[in-house]
Amino acid sequence: EEEFDEFPAVPAGAGIIGVGDLFKNTFEIYKKRLILLLILLAAYVFAGVAFGIFFGIGMLLGIAVESLRAGFITGGTVVGAIAAVITGFWGQGAFVFAVADERLGFKDAYRRAWQKLGSFVWISLLMGYIVVGGFLLFIIPGVLFGVWFTFCLFVLAKEDLRGMTALLKSKEYVKGLWGPVFVRLLLVWIVSIGLSLVPFIGWLLSLLYTPFMMIFVYLIYEDMRGLKGEVVYSTSTGTKAKWLALGTLGYMVAPIVIIVLTGATVLASLMMFKVQF
């Protein structure tokens, strides 16, 4: 399939794109790609409709068969939630694919996302699992992992790499540029948080800002891709297993830490009680 690049490759040895140029380029693309906002809105609408259909069916069946009302309503709620999650992933995938390729309109973006839905869901779950596990390892690893793997969905959309391979390639692009990339991501996330806190219209501002933020992140990916060119990185089973193990470690350590802290708190309370009485 033909590759499409919004901007030409950055010459080797050049620095990562400046913050000012990054915001400027993002805004220029945002103005031309308002279709992204429509795709994003549709993702929420479709997910809501998917939930509503199955929940409604459960309610109607519950009304018709009163003795099984609780079961039908519960079943409709569960199936509706599953349908909403799947539809939501589909819509988010369409949004990411449309950001990565300006040739895609509404219909084509959703068609592409449907074709890659399994890969999109799997990469999203892998990233979430490892990054959350990293945060459970006393936060700092989660920040490191989050920056390294931020671009994995664009690696899928642009380079058709899947699973842990996409995460590892994202990390390789960030290698040697973690600090500058972190600063740029932090800036765009701070703006996002600030907009969400605006009284009454914060939700609307956040919605309007989401395509801008995704374009911003995508342009960082494109810039690193131009800087690095063809990168060499390990995709061995051992390397992939290592990152899954690191994520899993966080889920194992967190309960132990909670138990230890709870025990220490109880012990301290008992000692204070003994001293007082």
Side-chain angles (χ1 to χ4, degrees):
E1 188 172 292
E2 181 185 357
E3 285 284 326
F4 175 79
D5 292 304
E6 182 95 35
F7 296 102
V10 179
I16 191 171
I17 185 172
V19 173
D21 288 335
L22 187 53
F23 274 100
K24 177 183 176 182
N25 292 343
T26 300
F27 184 65
E28 290 301 317
I29 296 174
Y30 180 78
K31 290 189 300 182
K32 299 175 183 177
R33 296 284 291 157
L34 294 179
I35 186 68
L36 296 174
L37 186 58
L38 179 60
I39 293 172
L40 182 64
L41 281 170
Y44 295 121
V45 172
F46 291 161
V49 169
F51 176 80
I53 288 173
F54 289 100
F55 179 75
I57 291 173
M59 288 290 293
L60 290 174
L61 291 173
I63 293 172
V65 186
E66 188 172 351
S67 60
L68 298 176
R69 178 176 297 176
F72 279 128
I73 293 176
T74 301
T77 302
V78 172
V79 174
I82 294 172
V85 169
I86 294 173
T87 307
F89 271 118
W90 182 23
Q92 291 298 319
F95 179 58
V96 169
F97 279 102
V99 170
D101 188 343
E102 72 170 9
R103 297 171 301 180
L104 297 180
F106 185 94
K107 184 177 179 180
D108 289 335
Y110 270 90
R111 181 185 295 114
R112 180 78 61 82
W114 182 255
Q115 295 169 348
K116 307 288 185 182
L117 181 59
S119 298
F120 186 89
V121 172
W122 180 233
I123 290 175
S124 299
L125 293 177
L126 278 176
M127 180 186 176
Y129 180 81
I130 295 173
V131 171
V132 171
F135 274 104
L136 293 175
L137 286 172
F138 310 106
I139 300 176
I140 293 177
V143 176
L144 292 171
F145 298 169
V147 174
W148 279 332
F149 300 140
T150 288
F151 308 97
C152 61
L153 292 175
F154 288 127
V155 173
L156 167 67
K158 200 72 172 181
E159 304 176 54
D160 199 27
L161 296 179
R162 311 178 185 200
M164 277 300 305
T165 301
L167 273 70
L168 293 172
K169 191 158 193 182
S170 173
K171 179 179 180 296
E172 190 63 29
Y173 283 137
V174 177
K175 184 178 179 180
L177 298 169
W178 194 94
V181 171
F182 171 73
V183 169
R184 285 153 178 77
L185 293 178
L186 182 62
L187 287 173
V188 79
W189 287 334
I190 287 174
V191 174
S192 177
I193 293 171
L195 291 175
S196 70
L197 296 177
V198 175
F200 305 112
I201 60 169
W203 65 271
L204 178 59
L205 295 176
S206 294
L207 179 65
L208 295 173
Y209 181 70
T210 298
F212 182 95
M213 184 167 62
M214 287 298 290
I215 295 169
F216 186 96
V217 175
Y218 171 70
L219 292 184
I220 298 175
Y221 159 75
E222 277 289 89
D223 191 57
M224 292 189 303
R225 190 177 173 212
L227 283 168
K228 295 294 187 74
E230 290 297 323
V231 295
V232 178
Y233 60 105
S234 174
T235 58
S236 67
T237 302
T239 300
K240 295 176 180 178
K242 177 188 74 174
W243 287 103
L244 287 173
L246 282 172
T248 302
L249 182 62
Y251 297 95
M252 296 172 63
V253 168
I256 295 173
V257 172
I258 292 172
I259 291 171
V260 170
L261 290 177
T262 302
T265 302
V266 171
L267 181 60
S269 299
L270 291 174
M271 291 178 66
M272 289 180 64
F273 181 81
K274 183 177 181 180
V275 169
Q276 291 176 359
F277 295 94

